[in-house]
Amino acid sequence: MHHFDYKDGELCAEDVSLTRLAEEVGTPYYVYSHETLTRHFRVFSEAFASVRHLICFAMKSNSNLAILRLFGAMGGGLDIVSGGELFRAAKAGMPYERIVFAGVGKSDEEIAYALEKGVLLFNVESEEELVNIGAVASRVGRQARVAIRVNPDVDPQTHPYITTGLKKSKFGIDINRAREQYRTAASLEGVEPSGVHCHIGSQITSSSPFADSVEIVARLVGELRGDGHDIRYLNLGGGLGITYHDEAPPLPSDYAAAILPKLKDLGCTLIFEPGRVITGNAGILVTRVLYGKENPEKRFVIIDAGMNDLIRPSLYQAFQDVWPVEEAARERPRHVTDLVGPVCESGDYLAKDRDLPEFYRDDLVAVMSSGAYGFTMASNYNSRPRPPEILVRGEEYHIIRERETYDDLVRGEHIPAFIEERRIP
Ligand code: LLP
C-alpha cells in the first residue's frame, strides 16, 4: 500500500508530480509520502491496540530526523544501534524512555551515553556485553535495564544476510542458556533484568516463524518469572516483510492475530521494532536516464543513480520494481535490460535482466520500495554526493535532507604540512 500513482499521465507522490520535483531538486532524489508513512505506523499500532505496547521504529531503516519526529508525535519510540542513532533520536526530540538500544558491539562510550540519557532498555547480545554494561553502569552510578536477546533457532525463510535467529548467527544468546544468563544479570550491581528480546530476521513473509518464536519466548518469560525475575517487557523485534515484487506478506493485523493469543496472559508491555514494514513502500528513488547502450549480449540503460545511492539490489540481489515516471512509456516495446549506475563496479545495478520498457535519454525512472534501507545505506563511493530526501504531503513538498555538495565530500579531510609543502611538479 502506498501513495505513488499515475495522475494525468505521470507518476506522482501523493499530489506532487515527480517530473516537477526533478526539475526543482535535480536527480537522483529520494521521495517519501507522508500519508503512506503515517498510515503504515497507524495500522501497525492499531493491530496491537488491545495490549500495552510500544512501537520502537527501527531507525536503521530510515533515520531522517523529520521521519523520526513524525513517529515520535504518533506515540512511537525508537530502536537504535549506535551512539550516532541516539544523537539523532535526541535531535528529533524523542523521549529517551521510549528508546531501546540494540547491537552486538556497543562501546563503553555508547553505553555510558545511553545510561546518562536514561534509555528504556539495553538489548544485550552476549554475556561479556552484559557484564560490561554492569561495569559501566556502576562506574557512572546508574542502573541499566536490560532485555537479553535470545536466539530461538527458528528459520525465518528469508535472505541469509538478514537471517538472525538461527543458532549459527552472530546475534543473540542461545535460548537454552538464557536462564543462566538472567541469573548472571541479576547478580550484577548495575543491571536490572527487566525484559526479553528476540528478533529472528527481516523481510519475513509468513506468520509461522513469528508464531513459532513467540511461543518459545513466551515460555521463557514464564520460566524467568518462576526464577524470580521481574520481566515486564517482551520485545519481539521487527522483521515483518513487504511486497517488493509478488510477495504476499501477512498484514500487521494477521501478524497480531498469529501471536497475540500466545501473549495475552503474560501481562508484559510488548515492544516491536518494525522498520521496513513502516517505511519500505513509503519511499522511492527517482533517477534520470543518461544513456542507452547495447552490447552483443546485453542491453543497458545507464541512469544517474548507482549502488552508492541504493545498494540493496547489488548487495542482496534484491528485486525493486522499476516504473517509468511518464505513464505512456509503459506501452513502449519491452526488452530484457540491466538498469545500471555510473559507479565503476560491474555490480553496480538497480535492476538486472529485467523485462523493462525502452527508456531514452532524460526519461525519469522510479525505483520503488526504497524507503527502508535506501538512503540509510547510501555512501559517497566514487565521491558521489548523496541524494536529497523529500517529504510530500498532499500538494506540498519539503526538502528534509539537502543534496550533499562537493564541499561536504571533503569536509574534515586534511593534508599534513609535510605533504602540502611538497611541490606539485
Ligand atoms: N530489530 C533488530 C534487532 C534488527 O536487527 C532489525 C533489522 C530490525 C529490528 C528491523 O527489521 P525490519 O522490521 O526492518 O525487518 N539492510 C537489509 C535489512 C537489514 C535488517 C537488519 N536488522 C535490507 O536492506 O534488506
Side-chain angles (χ1 to χ4, degrees):
M1 164 71 205
H2 59 70
H3 295 80
F4 301 100
D5 297 306
Y6 290 99
K7 291 181 185 162
D8 297 328
E10 60 173 349
L11 191 58
C12 293
E14 301 190 14
D15 297 320
V16 174
S17 141
L18 298 181
T19 309
R20 181 184 141 214
L21 260 184
E23 280 157 14
E24 295 182 10
V25 307
T27 54
Y29 64 85
Y30 277 94
V31 56
Y32 309 111
S33 152
H34 174 264
E35 182 60 28
T36 315
L37 290 166
T38 50
R39 185 193 146 88
H40 287 176
F41 191 92
R42 195 177 344 106
V43 165
F44 198 96
S45 186
E46 281 170 4
F48 294 98
S50 64
V51 286
R52 210 164 349 108
H53 71 276
L54 177 63
I55 297 175
C56 291
F57 170 66
M59 191 197 293
K60 62 179 88 65
S61 70
N62 191 312
S63 60
N64 186 283
L65 295 182
I67 289 174
L68 305 181
R69 173 97 192 181
L70 173 65
F71 295 148
M74 294 182 77
L78 292 172
D79 154 35
I80 63 163
V81 293
S82 69
E85 287 197 347
L86 182 53
F87 181 78
R88 279 185 175 277
K91 284 276 174 205
M94 182 60 73
Y96 293 110
E97 67 276 9
R98 289 195 221 153
I99 295 176
V100 294
F101 188 7
V104 289
K106 303 176 191 75
S107 71
D108 290 10
E109 292 73 21
E110 289 174 321
I111 294 167
Y113 180 21
L115 282 168
E116 179 205 321
K117 297 299 183 191
V119 300
L120 177 64
L121 282 168
F122 287 84
N123 296 338
V124 176
E125 299 259 4
S126 67
E127 182 165 4
E128 279 196 30
E129 185 201 340
L130 179 62
V131 171
N132 190 46
I133 289 176
V136 176
S138 299
R139 199 174 71 226
V140 301
R142 301 276 171 132
Q143 281 291 108
R145 279 176 300 276
V146 304
I148 293 182
R149 177 172 180 175
V150 294
N151 203 332
D153 199 25
V154 167
D155 186 351
Q157 293 143 18
T158 184
H159 192 284
Y161 285 12
I162 48 179
T163 294
T164 52
L166 287 174
K167 273 197 173 128
K168 61 184 180 190
S169 143
K170 78 169 175 178
F171 297 99
I173 288 174
D174 179 2
I175 192 146
N176 299 315
R177 294 192 48 220
R179 291 173 74 178
E180 128 197 12
Q181 301 285 326
Y182 277 89
R183 258 196 306 281
T184 306
S187 73
L188 296 168
E189 194 196 318
V191 170
E192 209 180 289
S194 320
V196 172
H197 178 241
C198 173
H199 168 87
I200 55 174
S202 196
Q203 183 54 13
I204 297 171
T205 52
S206 97
S207 288
S208 58
F210 290 117
D212 293 348
S213 65
V214 161
E215 190 150 338
I216 296 170
V217 293
R219 202 177 316 130
L220 175 67
V221 170
E223 289 167 359
L224 293 172
R225 284 184 173 156
D227 292 344
H229 304 292
D230 181 17
I231 304 296
R232 285 165 287 147
Y233 300 97
L234 179 53
N235 181 342
L236 295 167
L240 192 56
I242 63 170
T243 304
Y244 282 103
H245 189 197
D246 50 10
E247 307 90 333
L251 297 170
S253 54
D254 302 329
Y255 167 56
I259 62 171
L260 277 183
K262 302 172 198 289
L263 297 168
K264 277 228 147 121
D265 298 336
L266 285 180
C268 287
T269 297
L270 298 183
I271 298 176
F272 297 95
E273 301 172 336
R276 192 187 319 262
V277 70
I278 309 287
T279 55
N281 279 325
I284 63 176
L285 176 68
V286 179
T287 162
R288 199 180 277 286
V289 174
L290 295 172
Y291 308 108
K293 171 167 167 170
E294 265 180 79
N295 286 350
E297 299 205 353
K298 273 261 172 185
R299 192 179 180 101
F300 296 97
V301 170
I302 301 162
I303 51 178
D304 66 2
M307 64 189 291
N308 73 295
D309 302 299
L310 178 65
I311 202 174
R312 302 191 65 261
S314 304
L315 188 59
Y316 312 116
Q317 298 78 49
F319 178 102
Q320 294 192 210
D321 220 349
V322 170
W323 293 9
V325 168
E326 183 192 338
E327 190 171 19
R330 300 168 96 179
E331 308 308 322
R332 294 179 189 162
R334 303 180 76 88
H335 308 277
V336 175
T337 307
D338 281 11
L339 192 65
V340 303
V343 172
C344 297
E345 297 264 356
S346 301
D348 176 31
Y349 59 84
L350 296 188
K352 201 174 183 61
D353 294 327
R354 191 78 63 81
D355 178 39
L356 293 177
E358 287 179 358
F359 284 118
Y360 313 126
R361 182 169 170 80
D362 281 336
D363 279 345
L364 290 170
V365 179
V367 183
M368 308 305 287
S369 313
S370 300
Y373 309 105
F375 186 88
T376 50
M377 295 181 80
S379 78
N380 292 125
Y381 188 41
N382 279 204
S383 287
R384 291 169 48 80
R386 286 178 298 171
E389 294 176 282
I390 315 295
L391 179 67
V392 164
R393 186 178 70 148
E395 294 176 354
E396 308 164 9
Y397 77 84
H398 302 267
I399 297 175
I400 56 173
R401 190 181 211 278
E402 294 168 17
R403 185 183 304 284
E404 285 178 331
T405 64
Y406 289 155
D407 277 327
D408 291 332
L409 293 179
V410 295
R411 185 144 39 95
E413 290 186 34
H414 304 283
I415 303 175
F418 78 94
I419 294 177
E420 189 150 65
E421 280 158 11
R422 294 181 66 162
R423 296 210 351 239
I424 307 268

